[in-house]
Amino acid sequence: MTLKLVILCSASLLPLLAAGQAAAQSTPANSPSVQDAPEAADATADDDIVVTGVRASIVGALKVRRESTQIVDSIVSEDVGKLPDNNVIEALQRVTGVQVTNRTGGEAAGISIRGLPDALTTLNGRNIFTAAGQAFALQDISANLVKQIDVYKTRSADQIETGLAGQVDVATRRPFDFDGFAISGLVRGIYNEQADTYNPNAALLISNRWETGIGDIGVLLNGSYSRTKFRDMTVTAGAFVPFADLAPANGTGLTGLQRIAPAPWDPITGRFVQAPGLGEWSPGLDQGLSTEAGSTMIVNGISTPYYLSRDAIFSSDLYGKRERPSGNFALQWAPNSSSIYTAEVFYSGFRGETFNSLQFSFVDFWANPQQPTLYDGTNIVRSRVANSVYGFNSGDYTRTKTDNFVYALNGKWDLGARGKIIGDVAYQTSTVNSSFMAMRTDRVANQITADFNAGGGIPSYHFDNDALLADPSVWNVAQLYDNANRDKGSALTGSLDAYYTWDEGFIRQVKAGLRYDDRKASTFVRTQDRGGPLVGTNLAGLGEDAQFTNSGFFDGRSDSPSSWVLANGYWLNQNADTVRGLYGLKTSDQLSLARVFDIDEITMSAYALVDGEVSIFGRPLKLEGGVRYVNVDTDYNFFDRYNGGARTSVSRGSARFLPSFTARYELTNKLRARFNYGETLRRPNFADINPNYSLTGDLTDVGYGSGTAGTATLNPTHSKNFDLALEWYFDRNSAITVTAFRRKVNGLVVPLTVREYIPNNGIEAGATDYFAITRPVNASDGVLKGIELGLTYFPHYLPGPLDGLGFQGSVTVLDSKQNIPVADAAGNITGQASSAFFSVSDLSYNATLAYERGPVGARLSYVWRKEFLANNEARLFANPIGVWRNPEKSLDLQLTFKVSDRLGLTFDAVNLTKSVQQTYYKFDDVGGPDQFNLGTTLLSRTFAIGARYTFQ
């Protein structure tokens, strides 16, 4: 590890072209203004040195940070239509302080900035979102459409107030970015090794501008399409539950190795109810049950030793396909030298389908018990044999369609030579439609032998006859699950900003603005399921078309079955009404979606910002102070699916002043310091304020089901943010940056679980009237602090073929703590525990070795992040509540070769080391990846070749 840190060192990101992109017509609407800073004495010399390719992208990003008042790291497109990754999130993983998660499906799909996951997402400065969510799925933006991505770590009064993590602004190209006609085309073929598929990626940009009698006019059209077929394979050891030992005491009502179900609470006495076979233990304790050898619990009044073993073991073989059509159109008009008008339309789409081939077996039955093998010094079962075990296979098919449109008009008018007025109006719509159908087939197997960690956190298991897994005649047709959702969102947003500048005196700029946003969101859902099995029907009886048998599961990296048969998800989708008819369920002509909630939220904000400058010891100190006032008025309508659609209406409002202050001091021509204080908000997710239940039956025999519901009275989370940075631009195109930061966060939303009685719920699979309902509550405060170290180094004195070699990297060290309420089954808070923030790795780093010489460009990148708390599991079991991720890493390679000034060839390889994604249970000092291992997912390695043509 020490050697890696020395080699990989630190810094920002990868990026590409554009040194100066700051002409008025190319500044994103509503984006924070980039203030011109006095450059180091030798910095202006950069303008006389032309750099291209990978080096140009990294240098361009460094200049964005150097010239900005805020602390901002960027990705700059190396050339038209060429961001150096498959999607925006993959590009962001090399930005200082950005951590990437969720690498399944052949791509990265989630980010956090300094450990926080709720970055404000903007497109050309405009807030964007997906359907009824508060953020946009950045992975849905094709990298081919992007000119620049800015990651703002600090906030100013002229920035939109939401997003504790910061702001990610994606800038697309506009016709006035070019002097005249421009065309760029990109074609790539991407090979997904795990799925053994070849996938297309193509983009085309056409732009032109003309001088006419009514001024300059420019038109740009940019389109992109990508398709990916992928395969994800996962092996999981199930949750922990207690079992009797081989010789339980008389009077307990237990037999050898019997699973000990939890005893219910007496609502009058508040004590456990004593009954044979029921233990006095509460599922879902933060640290789980004791794992010490010889641990006991009370069963029917008798102190009884117990083992902790897994309830199940299972394999998931998921086949998926996604398509992303996207494009943007822009029309610009400059009737004179003092005004510019821009009209643009942006579209991004997503078409996805997944077929999850799930093979699931319980390992919790106690027929003819055999002595299990324990981990030394514990009561934890490492391996065991279970007889007469129930299991099921499930063919799960999901289909998703997303369409996002943004329509915008923008005008900029000069106020003489020193000021400007900017007006912007935008309307956006976003819709997500999804459907899910799953058919289970089940059986009772004679025997299963399981080693829950056979090495490296990967379990091993086999049945007495694995061949029966692929025999459709032994699998009974069992439960069916059939549901669908539709989420819709829209927003009408208008803003007006103006500023005026001075060259002398203390006040150098005054800026003010207004913003109005009318956001609407709604969600619809339908659910129908039916228990099984269907009498006298097995999978073979449905015909060969209804069957699917996988092969080659887990690439030989697990000692477990590699093939099994189950219901074909694609057949389920194509014959949905036939399948529904088998179960006596409603068919398509009878189905409809029920409204769950609709929301109308109006936000009005205003800000004032003043920039000043003074001289201290002959060096300029730049100051910026401002305040933003935000008023939010929200009307909710909720419709109770379990009470005939009864409507509940709630209106809530809030108002807050959010101050900000930034100071930037030029210590020398090459050394500068920055300080920033700002306050930000995190609005509750609309789903988190929806009080309707989402229920799952008692599928694991703990005595009750589980479910979630929102809390209509949730308040915004508020954060006070401090940043202090020191930046040394020690050489041309090279710098070292160090940033210390602290976030004091109040009103964090955390889950609280309460046992509830919910009759007439319509659940057939695992039917029950009792549920552990988890709701979000503003019941936590926390502090996140850390240090970022970044290095960008392109030496200009290397000899011969080494000339053109450079390095970029960063190290981020984080420390976080928040209080977590501890509650009893009735929801009463009985104490407080502490935990790290979710998704925060204490240490992460990235390193990019770049080379640019002649026609050859290369980039070798490595990213790594330490283990982190991903989520808390449902409170149904006896293991520690936290689900942690093992350290994650990726080694990527990118090569380019310029055949000519206009034509280039590319080669890309992602996840060269074939890293995996692993989880385990842990809370405080209890748990870990060895004895508490959970799931292991193979991550795909991909290779791509392509060609890019550019003329401008």
Side-chain angles (χ1 to χ4, degrees), residues 599-897:
I599 291 175
D600 188 357
E601 182 173 85
I602 295 177
T603 302
M604 292 183 288
S605 57
Y607 72 89
L609 192 67
V610 177
D611 288 5
E613 183 176 324
V614 295
S615 178
I616 298 180
F617 303 116
R619 308 296 304 177
L621 171 64
K622 294 198 170 192
L623 304 171
E624 181 180 89
V627 64
R628 187 177 187 90
Y629 173 75
V630 183
N631 184 287
V632 182
D633 185 10
T634 311
D635 295 323
Y636 317 93
N637 289 312
F638 304 109
F639 303 87
D640 188 351
R641 290 192 295 145
Y642 300 104
N643 188 24
R647 186 177 73 175
T648 301
S649 297
V650 179
S651 293
R652 291 180 60 81
S654 64
R656 188 182 287 270
F657 287 95
L658 301 171
S660 66
F661 174 77
T662 300
R664 191 181 77 181
Y665 184 53
E666 310 290 329
L667 295 165
T668 70
N669 285 344
K670 298 183 178 181
L671 186 65
R672 69 180 48 170
R674 303 177 198 254
F675 170 79
N676 177 269
Y677 172 79
E679 298 185 17
T680 49
L681 299 174
R682 174 192 291 166
R683 301 255 177 84
N685 292 319
F686 290 143
D688 285 345
I689 58 179
N690 169 28
N692 290 314
Y693 295 115
S694 177
L695 303 176
T696 301
D698 182 12
L699 302 179
T700 53
D701 295 326
V702 297
Y704 50 86
S706 61
T708 58
T711 304
T713 56
L714 280 182
N715 293 314
T717 300
H718 178 239
S719 178
K720 296 180 178 180
N721 313 317
F722 301 85
D723 290 78
L724 179 63
L726 189 65
E727 302 164 3
W728 180 31
Y729 299 92
F730 61 90
D731 199 357
R732 187 176 67 224
N733 303 332
S734 300
I736 295 175
T737 63
V738 181
T739 306
F741 52 88
R742 186 176 190 271
R743 305 284 184 264
K744 188 177 186 303
V745 188
N746 295 317
L748 281 164
V749 175
V750 292
L752 190 68
T753 302
V754 179
R755 198 84 52 84
E756 294 189 26
Y757 174 66
I758 308 173
N760 305 317
N761 52 66
I763 289 179
E764 294 190 21
T768 180
D769 290 338
Y770 293 90
F771 299 86
I773 301 297
T774 300
R775 285 186 174 85
V777 292
N778 293 108
S780 177
D781 298 327
V783 173
L784 173 71
K785 54 188 176 182
I787 295 177
E788 295 173 348
L789 171 65
L791 169 64
T792 300
Y793 184 41
F794 276 92
H796 51 82
Y797 48 77
L798 294 178
L802 294 180
D803 186 25
L805 188 66
F807 174 84
Q808 182 185 43
S810 69
V811 174
T812 302
V813 180
L814 296 171
D815 179 57
S816 65
K817 180 178 288 187
Q818 67 179 104
N819 66 293
I820 304 291
V822 178
D824 59 23
N828 301 309
I829 296 178
T830 58
Q832 297 287 335
S834 64
S835 171
F837 280 25
F838 293 110
S839 300
V840 172
S841 291
D842 293 344
L843 175 67
S844 63
Y845 59 83
N846 64 72
T848 297
L849 190 64
Y851 183 75
E852 193 81 29
R853 181 176 176 83
V856 177
R859 189 186 67 175
L860 182 66
S861 301
Y862 183 78
V863 297
W864 182 92
R865 64 178 300 185
K866 193 178 178 182
E867 65 271 10
F868 61 95
L869 173 62
N871 60 276
N872 282 342
E873 193 176 58
R875 295 182 180 272
L876 299 174
F877 307 107
N879 43 258
I881 198 68
V883 176
W884 284 68
R885 292 265 188 93
N886 268 353
E888 297 184 348
K889 54 189 177 291
S890 183
L891 178 66
D892 307 334
L893 172 68
Q894 289 158 337
L895 301 173
T896 61
F897 180 79

Side-chain angles (χ1 to χ4, degrees), residues 247-486:
N250 292 331
T252 61
L254 297 169
T255 61
L257 272 187
Q258 181 175 336
R259 178 173 169 175
I260 306 174
W265 286 83
D266 187 312
I268 298 177
T269 65
R271 298 176 181 176
F272 284 107
V273 174
Q274 291 190 359
L278 301 182
E280 296 186 8
W281 69 282
S282 296
L285 298 176
D286 286 342
Q287 295 184 338
L289 293 181
S290 173
T291 62
E292 293 185 6
S295 294
T296 63
M297 71 170 62
I298 302 299
V299 178
N300 201 26
I302 300 172
S303 180
T304 304
Y306 65 88
Y307 296 145
L308 285 174
S309 188
R310 309 303 180 110
D311 68 333
I313 198 164
F314 52 96
S315 299
S316 169
D317 195 357
L318 185 144
Y319 302 82
K321 182 180 75 171
R322 60 174 172 267
E323 297 174 278
R324 290 194 174 109
S326 57
N328 69 290
F329 168 81
L331 171 66
Q332 288 189 291
W333 174 40
N336 50 53
S337 61
S338 60
S339 61
I340 295 175
Y341 302 89
T342 303
E344 52 193 340
V345 178
F346 174 83
Y347 167 76
S348 69
F350 176 85
R351 308 289 184 266
E353 64 175 4
T354 60
F355 167 36
N356 185 26
S357 173
L358 176 66
Q359 194 275 310
F360 187 104
S361 178
F362 285 98
V363 289
D364 63 344
F365 200 52
W366 49 93
N368 301 316
Q370 302 177 33
Q371 179 64 44
T373 301
L374 307 181
Y375 287 103
D376 292 340
T378 75
N379 65 355
I380 302 174
V381 173
R382 173 167 186 165
S383 62
R384 66 169 298 183
V385 174
N387 300 304
S388 301
V389 291
Y390 174 79
F392 64 85
N393 293 346
S394 184
D396 306 345
Y397 182 87
T398 303
R399 193 176 190 91
T400 304
K401 179 183 178 183
T402 302
D403 291 297
N404 306 296
F405 293 90
V406 181
Y407 311 89
L409 293 172
N410 180 269
K412 299 178 181 180
W413 304 272
D414 289 343
L415 296 173
R418 296 187 175 276
K420 190 178 292 290
I421 296 175
I422 303 170
D424 192 88
V425 61
Y427 177 73
Q428 60 181 307
T429 64
S430 179
T431 304
V432 176
N433 289 285
S434 63
S435 61
F436 172 82
M437 179 171 280
M439 177 186 285
R440 289 186 177 181
T441 52
D442 64 6
R443 65 162 187 162
V444 175
N446 290 329
Q447 187 178 87
I448 185 172
T449 301
D451 184 337
F452 299 114
N453 185 356
I458 302 175
S460 167
Y461 70 97
H462 287 283
F463 295 91
D464 60 312
N465 185 357
D466 284 348
L468 294 179
L469 288 171
D471 183 354
S473 67
V474 305
W475 292 96
N476 305 306
V477 177
Q479 300 87 1
L480 183 78
Y481 301 87
D482 177 23
N483 55 62
N485 296 76
R486 181 169 70 245

Side-chain angles (χ1 to χ4, degrees), residues 156-299:
S156 176
D158 60 347
Q159 292 176 269
I160 301 172
E161 64 279 351
T162 57
L164 304 188
Q167 177 182 348
V168 178
D169 182 61
V170 179
T172 59
R173 294 190 178 273
R174 290 167 174 170
F176 283 4
D177 292 339
F178 308 99
D179 293 331
F181 177 74
I183 184 171
S184 176
L186 171 69
V187 178
R188 300 171 73 217
I190 304 174
Y191 175 69
N192 185 298
E193 186 178 49
Q194 203 155 275
D196 192 23
T197 59
Y198 296 88
N199 304 283
N201 184 323
L204 178 65
L205 177 147
I206 302 174
S207 180
N208 204 354
R209 60 185 295 178
W210 305 268
E211 295 182 4
T212 73
I214 59 172
D216 283 2
I217 294 177
V219 177
L220 178 145
L221 183 64
N222 194 358
S224 174
Y225 172 81
S226 65
R227 189 204 69 198
T228 302
K229 292 183 178 180
F230 58 91
R231 184 182 184 186
D232 290 336
M233 295 176 278
T234 304
V235 177
T236 304
F240 286 79
V241 290
F243 293 79
D245 61 18
L246 276 178
N250 292 331
T252 61
L254 297 169
T255 61
L257 272 187
Q258 181 175 336
R259 178 173 169 175
I260 306 174
W265 286 83
D266 187 312
I268 298 177
T269 65
R271 298 176 181 176
F272 284 107
V273 174
Q274 291 190 359
L278 301 182
E280 296 186 8
W281 69 282
S282 296
L285 298 176
D286 286 342
Q287 295 184 338
L289 293 181
S290 173
T291 62
E292 293 185 6
S295 294
T296 63
M297 71 170 62
I298 302 299
V299 178

Side-chain angles (χ1 to χ4, degrees), residues 22 34-39 67 69 622 664:
V34 176
Q35 306 299 321
D36 293 330
E39 295 302 325
E67 296 173 5
T69 299
K622 294 198 170 192
R664 191 181 77 181

